[in-house]
Amino acid sequence: KVFAVAFAPDGTWVAAGGWHRGRVHWIFIFDKATGAVVTRLGPLSNVILDLAVSPDGDRLAAGLGGNNGVRVWETKRWRQIAEDKDHAGSNYGLSFAPGGRLAATSEDGHIRLYDANGRLASKAKAPSGLLPHGTAFSPDSAWLAVGYLDATRVDVLSGQTLAHVLSPDTSGMGQGDVSSVAWLTD
């Protein structure tokens, strides 16, 4: 089952990952023009829940299920360059900023920020809700929006430090969640 798809910014390849009924899981990289499998990344120990590509197309990140964390590959030779397995929950939200920083949410209630080399730069408890889910950097990457799987809340954090900046008024939304977030650009 395919749960996550990401496209190269130049449109040359597509990454797809998800769940396989065996004990190992793979990310498949397809040539967009031919549909041929270019390579596969893995094996990975748990389901692939999210994929994100850096704006320059040089990095691909995967959020994994269970306590398996985040993996990052460089896309020239498809070599894994970073991993963070120190997560106590599944990872559903990944977002790259220009310059290569990566934000990740986890069901362990934390938001993590990685530098361009994939090293953990900051980790913060989510300001609202228990299950941070979607993430999106503002176009200038100064801010990071975070949506929740268990709340109709959105938090805006510093894109550099994860410090809480503001929470828009979502009181009129009623029940549900705001699990996906995005920024409008001019």
Side-chain angles (χ1 to χ4, degrees):
K1 294 180 181 179
V2 175
F3 291 149
V5 175
F7 296 87
D10 66 3
T12 57
W13 54 264
V14 178
W19 175 84
H20 186 270
R21 77 180 99 181
R23 292 193 180 269
V24 296
H25 308 275
W26 301 88
I27 298 169
F28 291 89
I29 309 299
F30 298 93
D31 179 279
K32 184 183 166 271
T34 66
V37 175
V38 173
T39 192
R40 64 183 187 165
L41 309 176
L44 300 167
S45 59
N46 210 307
V47 61
I48 296 96
L49 297 171
D50 196 16
L51 293 169
V53 180
S54 61
D56 61 10
D58 288 347
R59 304 273 191 273
L60 174 70
L64 305 178
N67 300 337
N68 293 281
V70 174
R71 307 289 186 281
V72 180
W73 292 266
E74 57 84 13
T75 62
K76 299 290 186 246
R77 294 182 303 265
W78 297 107
R79 184 176 48 91
Q80 184 176 314
I81 59 169
E83 70 179 8
D84 180 4
K85 295 181 181 179
D86 187 24
H87 292 241
S90 296
N91 294 82
Y92 287 96
L94 298 170
S95 180
F96 274 104
R101 286 178 296 123
L102 173 68
T105 60
S106 175
E107 285 184 332
D108 66 8
H110 288 91
I111 302 151
R112 292 165 174 84
L113 186 63
Y114 301 92
D115 68 18
N117 295 313
R119 290 186 300 260
L120 184 65
S122 186
K123 177 180 171 182
K125 188 78 174 156
S128 300
L130 300 173
L131 299 174
H133 199 267
T135 61
F137 278 100
S138 62
D140 64 0
S141 74
W143 297 341
L144 178 71
V146 176
Y148 293 88
L149 192 59
D150 61 341
T152 55
R153 297 272 306 191
V154 174
D155 289 318
V156 177
L157 312 178
S158 163
Q160 299 291 328
T161 66
L162 299 181
H164 184 257
V165 176
L166 62 95
S167 297
D169 181 6
T170 58
S171 60
M173 294 182 69
Q175 295 181 332
D177 61 65
V178 182
S179 58
S180 296
V181 291
W183 292 88
L184 293 176
T185 59
D186 291 335

